[in-house]
Amino acid sequence: MKPRFILYILNMLVLSSFIHAQEPVKTAQTSLSVQENQQTLVINEALIAEEHALIDEVFLEIVEHSTKASYYHDKFNGKFTANGEIFDNQGYTAAHRSLPFGTKVKVTNLHNDQWVVVRVNDRGPFTKGRGLDISKKAFLDLTDSTKKGVLEVKIEKWTQDEG
């Protein structure tokens, strides 16, 4: 066999074993760097396994510097979302007024810097002053308790394209 082909096979085996050993990452902590003269943030060298796909570099575009986020009440479990999916409060999903369905957003609690990534699959919130409704699971990843019910958050849109 040619050395190039052997190297290719070895790379595929190593990558395959990494992908299958890696659980999907819902939250992660990593350092962010601000690109010069841009409002785009970049997570460098972050490997995020999601549905067995690796993303080497993720770009973040700030949607809201500071807004309020609340969580869905349990009564919405099993109901249809605006895009036709069945809502699950144990998933990582969100409602936003204008972001396209399927958009992944990073939601950061501004009081403790905890963050999660959720996927927009619904419209809302319809309460004045709120910018995002998120699933209870995502909400609890951002805070210790649901007693308060509303968090001050930053919303960033995840893309694989710069700018």
Side-chain angles (χ1 to χ4, degrees):
M1 284 200 240
K2 294 183 178 182
R4 199 175 215 181
F5 181 72
I6 292 171
L7 184 59
Y8 171 77
I9 296 297
L10 286 173
N11 282 336
M12 293 305 292
L13 288 172
V14 170
L15 184 59
S16 175
S17 66
F18 174 77
I19 290 172
H20 293 295
Q22 182 74 27
E23 289 292 319
V25 175
K26 297 297 183 185
T27 62
Q29 298 299 328
T30 186
S31 60
L32 300 177
S33 62
V34 179
Q35 291 181 342
E36 261 183 65
N37 301 323
Q38 294 184 9
Q39 288 187 341
T40 302
L41 298 176
V42 180
I43 297 178
N44 290 315
E45 300 171 8
L47 293 177
I48 299 170
E50 183 176 327
E51 299 170 0
H52 302 291
L54 291 179
I55 302 169
D56 290 323
E57 199 169 271
V58 177
F59 297 92
L60 299 170
E61 176 186 331
I62 295 175
V63 176
E64 292 281 341
H65 286 280
S66 178
T67 190
K68 305 262 188 229
S70 57
Y71 66 92
Y72 281 87
H73 190 278
D74 287 330
K75 70 180 182 181
F76 293 106
N77 267 326
K79 307 279 186 192
F80 287 100
T81 61
N83 75 346
E85 292 179 21
I86 295 175
F87 177 70
D88 177 11
N89 232 343
Q90 294 303 306
Y92 286 87
T93 57
H96 190 271
R97 287 183 193 93
S98 60
L99 288 173
F101 294 135
T103 301
K104 291 181 182 168
V105 293
K106 177 183 173 190
V107 182
T108 305
N109 181 340
L110 294 176
H111 295 289
N112 64 12
D113 290 328
Q114 293 293 319
W115 58 271
V116 294
V117 176
V118 294
R119 182 178 48 83
V120 175
N121 71 342
D122 204 3
R123 290 291 172 233
F126 300 109
T127 302
K128 186 177 178 178
R130 294 191 189 162
L132 197 67
D133 279 337
I134 59 177
S135 64
K136 189 183 262 186
K137 174 110 171 146
F139 190 90
L140 288 172
D141 282 355
L142 295 175
T143 187
D144 295 339
S145 170
T146 57
K147 288 182 181 176
K148 188 170 182 184
V150 178
L151 297 174
E152 190 72 25
V153 298
K154 176 170 63 171
I155 303 171
E156 299 164 282
K157 180 171 71 170
W158 286 52
T159 68
Q160 289 184 336
D161 300 320
E162 187 175 0

